Amino acid sequence: MTPLEAVAVFAAGVGAGGINVVVGSGSLITFPTLLAVGLPPVVANVSNNVGMVPGGVTGVLGYRPELTGQRARLLRLGVASVIGSLIGAVLLLRLPETVFKFIVPVLIGAACVLVIVQPKLNGWLAGRRTHPHGGPWLWLTVLGAGIYGGYFGAAQGVVLIGLLGIFLDEELQRINAAKNFLSLLVNLTAAILFSLVTQVDWLAALLVALGTGVGGFVGARLGRRLPAPVLRAVIVCIGVVAIVKLLT
């Protein structure tokens, strides 16, 4: 990797770290960059996943006030994220990437729709929710999001926000904080497995890690200041961009 390519990978990491904390889908910046500097697709995906972990840590630390009171919920849902991530990581090592080629854009599109209609749905569901942690359906769908995140992960944040926003009676910033925590668990779990059983380009992973660490810190400071309607609009816009990139 040349010095210029290294700078490009680091810069992509900064952008991805900021986007991941505010919404998700930062991998749509770093993954193509790693491919552009010559990494094979699976090695790029694995190295990218490892590099996302520091950005997740700084993002979670930046959202600590919004995580207050969510410990029991996140412990419950975190189990689903870890199990799902392990399943997804194993699928990445065993299955061709084309398996998820068509379903991923559909999932992201559905998540964007959920984010848009969430305020009205929350009103309709207000008297019908019976579980403060979302119940078994949320656990199962978070498990599914974890499988996707362990396999590839681009826009898993959009999917998680859509799911959490429907099943939980919480404001959007607290949902975003929960999303950051669960995404971190998914990335960390997959990164540990990948580090043990497959090839990682450690220079690329380090550059992405340094970038996402910076980007996650900045993104958390900015994201927490966004009003809910603005944050919702940003989520949907990035989700649309993710779909376009995955289809082209």
Side-chain angles (χ1 to χ4, degrees):
M1 188 182 301
T2 68
L4 184 59
E5 289 174 337
V7 171
V9 172
F10 171 77
V14 174
I19 290 174
N20 276 342
V21 172
V22 178
V23 184
S25 78
S27 289
L28 293 174
I29 298 176
T30 48
F31 180 66
T33 303
L34 293 177
L35 292 178
V37 300
L39 271 65
V42 173
V43 175
N45 194 13
V46 168
S47 305
N48 178 67
N49 189 292
V50 173
M52 287 292 162
V53 174
V57 172
T58 55
V60 168
L61 291 175
Y63 266 86
R64 279 179 299 174
E66 286 76 16
L67 288 171
T68 303
Q70 298 199 66
R71 180 177 180 181
R73 171 188 299 157
L74 293 178
L75 287 175
R76 175 187 175 90
L77 296 178
V79 173
S81 290
V82 170
I83 295 173
S85 180
L86 288 173
I87 295 172
V90 171
L91 289 176
L92 174 66
L93 301 176
R94 298 292 183 184
L95 298 177
E97 190 174 339
T98 52
V99 171
F100 280 31
K101 179 179 179 180
F102 298 105
I103 194 171
V104 169
V106 174
L107 287 174
I108 298 173
C112 289
V113 172
L114 290 177
V115 171
I116 293 171
V117 303
Q118 180 192 328
K120 289 190 176 182
L121 269 180
N122 278 345
W124 184 78
L125 292 170
R128 296 172 174 82
R129 292 189 179 97
T130 59
H131 200 292
H133 304 317
W137 285 112
L138 178 58
W139 196 93
L140 289 172
T141 53
V142 168
L143 173 70
I147 293 173
Y148 169 53
Y151 185 89
F152 181 47
Q156 70 164 317
V158 178
V159 175
L160 276 172
I161 287 177
L163 295 173
L164 295 171
I166 293 303
F167 286 98
L168 300 177
D169 185 17
E170 291 281 5
E171 63 176 8
L172 191 56
Q173 289 289 7
R174 282 175 60 81
I175 288 172
N176 197 34
K179 175 268 294 180
N180 287 335
F181 180 81
L182 296 176
S183 295
L184 171 60
L185 287 181
V186 170
N187 289 335
L188 178 60
T189 302
I192 293 172
L193 179 62
F194 292 150
S195 300
L196 294 174
V197 303
T198 192
Q199 179 184 356
V200 178
D201 187 312
W202 289 105
L203 174 58
L206 176 62
L207 291 169
V208 172
L210 292 173
T212 58
V214 174
F217 175 78
V218 176
R221 293 177 65 88
L222 295 176
R224 293 181 63 236
R225 293 185 172 91
L226 292 177
V230 175
L231 180 57
R232 203 179 307 279
V234 172
I235 294 168
V236 173
C237 288
I238 291 180
V240 172
V241 171
I243 293 172
V244 172
K245 278 186 170 290
L246 289 168
L247 289 176
T248 56

